[in-house]
Amino acid sequence: MKTKKIIEAAHRLSKPYRIDHGKKFRLKDIDPGDTGDLKSEDKPKAKEALQAGVQALADLQDVLYAQDRWSVLLIFQAMDAAGKDGTIKHVMSGVNPQGCQVYSFKSPSAEELDHDYLWRCTKCLPNRGHIGIFNRSYYEETLIVRVHSEFLAKEQLPPACVTKHIWDERFQDIRSFERYLHRNGTIVRKFFLHVSKEEQKKRFLDRLEKPEKNWKFSANDAKERGFWKDYMHAYEEMIRETATEDSPWYVVPADNKWYTRIVVASAIIDALGSLNLQYPKVSAAKRQELAAARAALLDS
């Protein structure tokens, strides 16, 4: 399948999960177990399609890198065990590492807490021609910090800055920041991997029962399940307030990893396909230089 047809197919597959006007968005409208028109028996077919998508993504990234005009920022947010790491690994498996930058944001350090909350992410924005991936991001400031108010206290903000409107203010700041990025050639695509509470429990138990997966589990993971409703409310409002035409969210069903990966790959392919990427044109003088070099090589 040619890249153009893959881009068209990717647009159709990812469009139902794209949220670019969030005011009417409701998280309950997206079923974590949804697999679109595909059934469980279509998994082999889906895996083949993913491989074709991975190749198309590699081809598009090559042109992105060569053109050196646009940059792409991919943001992944999710509850624990939703499959962020695996999705990034599989979807980006064909991308040239030289043109890709991946950052995973954990609890902020003392140095990071001495700066504004966007600071540590701003330092890691992708270069032109590159794809940047944020595994968690500045959106944690509207999620875990909102659910656990003690984290906000650790940021040592002046009391005057901690108003009753602080979350609305942060949403406004983020919208402005992403609009700024778009106006300067960085397109932003954001993914919320929407896993159900039941599937998360199943995956946690799998991590506990298989020794080779024990390292993935921490007691805090189970503790956070107690705040599930709070997190779902925070995610819903985050998406409603920060989904825009230029920087949309994709709310991706995450109970079936094989489907999650093909939706994410499709959304990234669709984004790159929208940029009308082209290899740089070579000037007449450059062509003469290349012809002379070719002749010299043939004569040597």
Side-chain angles (χ1 to χ4, degrees):
M1 188 183 295
K2 293 183 179 180
T3 300
K4 183 178 179 180
K5 289 185 176 180
I6 293 178
I7 292 173
E8 293 171 353
H11 176 75
R12 290 193 299 270
L13 194 149
S14 61
K15 186 177 179 180
Y17 308 105
R18 175 177 168 135
I19 312 297
D20 48 26
H21 295 90
K23 292 303 180 183
K24 296 182 180 180
F25 173 73
R26 294 293 182 274
L27 198 55
K28 66 180 181 180
D29 294 338
I30 305 293
D31 178 8
D34 180 35
T35 56
D37 295 329
L38 302 176
K39 308 300 179 185
S40 58
E41 57 266 27
D42 294 319
K43 284 175 65 175
K45 179 181 176 181
K47 289 181 178 179
E48 289 180 11
L50 178 60
Q51 289 308 308
V54 166
Q55 182 57 57
L57 183 55
D59 293 341
L60 288 165
Q61 187 252 346
D62 190 64
V63 189
L64 176 78
Y65 186 84
Q67 190 182 50
D68 198 27
R69 296 291 185 186
W70 293 95
S71 56
V72 179
L73 176 60
L74 308 175
I75 295 175
F76 290 85
Q77 295 287 158
M79 295 293 285
D80 291 317
K84 296 191 310 302
D85 293 350
T87 298
I88 294 169
K89 175 183 176 182
H90 284 80
V91 172
M92 307 304 292
S93 60
V95 171
N96 185 339
Q98 292 186 102
C100 189
Q101 302 158 324
V102 185
Y103 297 95
S104 182
F105 294 99
K106 307 293 184 182
S107 298
S109 66
E111 180 188 19
E112 289 166 346
L113 287 172
D114 266 344
H115 292 81
D116 64 272
Y117 69 89
L118 287 172
W119 180 76
R120 65 174 181 165
C121 294
T122 304
K123 296 192 302 177
C124 301
L125 290 171
N127 304 338
R128 294 196 190 281
H130 286 65
I131 296 175
I133 299 172
F134 285 179
N135 187 342
R136 301 193 189 279
S137 67
Y138 44 82
Y139 278 105
E140 291 296 296
E141 292 293 325
T142 66
L143 296 169
I144 189 169
V145 176
R146 187 172 189 177
V147 172
H148 296 286
S149 58
E150 63 270 25
F151 293 149
L152 181 61
K154 290 181 180 179
E155 294 183 3
Q156 299 179 309
L157 289 167
C161 295
V162 185
T163 73
K164 63 180 180 179
H165 303 297
I166 187 169
W167 307 117
D168 290 334
E169 291 165 356
R170 288 194 167 182
F171 291 139
Q172 182 180 8
D173 291 339
I174 289 172
R175 289 194 302 268
S176 298
F177 177 63
E178 291 177 349
R179 183 168 61 246
Y180 165 81
L181 292 178
H182 180 81
R183 288 174 174 172
N184 285 274
T186 297
I187 67 166
V188 183
R189 295 294 182 268
K190 303 169 292 194
F191 299 91
F192 170 52
L193 305 192
H194 185 25
V195 69
S196 67
K197 192 174 183 180
E198 294 75 17
E199 179 63 21
Q200 188 199 53
K201 178 180 178 180
K202 178 182 174 182
R203 293 179 187 179
F204 278 168
L205 289 172
D206 185 57
R207 291 179 178 183
L208 289 168
E209 292 166 2
K210 294 181 179 179
E212 68 274 16
K213 292 186 177 182
N214 286 172
W215 65 273
K216 289 186 174 184
F217 187 83
S218 74
N220 193 58
D221 294 340
K223 179 181 177 182
E224 288 301 290
R225 280 175 59 81
F227 300 94
W228 186 273
K229 288 185 179 180
D230 295 327
Y231 275 111
M232 292 303 103
H233 171 74
Y235 273 113
E236 181 175 88
E237 188 163 3
M238 173 194 76
I239 294 165
R240 292 181 65 185
E241 293 295 331
T242 61
T244 65
E245 185 72 33
D246 293 332
S247 302
W249 277 100
Y250 286 85
V251 181
V252 185
D255 279 7
N256 297 281
K257 294 180 180 179
W258 59 272
Y259 189 69
T260 304
R261 292 163 185 171
I262 196 171
V263 172
V264 170
S266 296
I268 300 172
I269 290 168
D270 185 40
L272 288 170
S274 71
L275 299 179
N276 191 29
L277 299 171
Q278 296 179 4
Y279 284 108
K281 293 183 178 180
V282 177
S283 66
K286 182 67 174 180
R287 286 197 297 272
Q288 290 181 350
E289 181 183 325
L290 296 175
R294 181 176 183 275
L297 285 169
L298 291 173
D299 290 342
S300 62

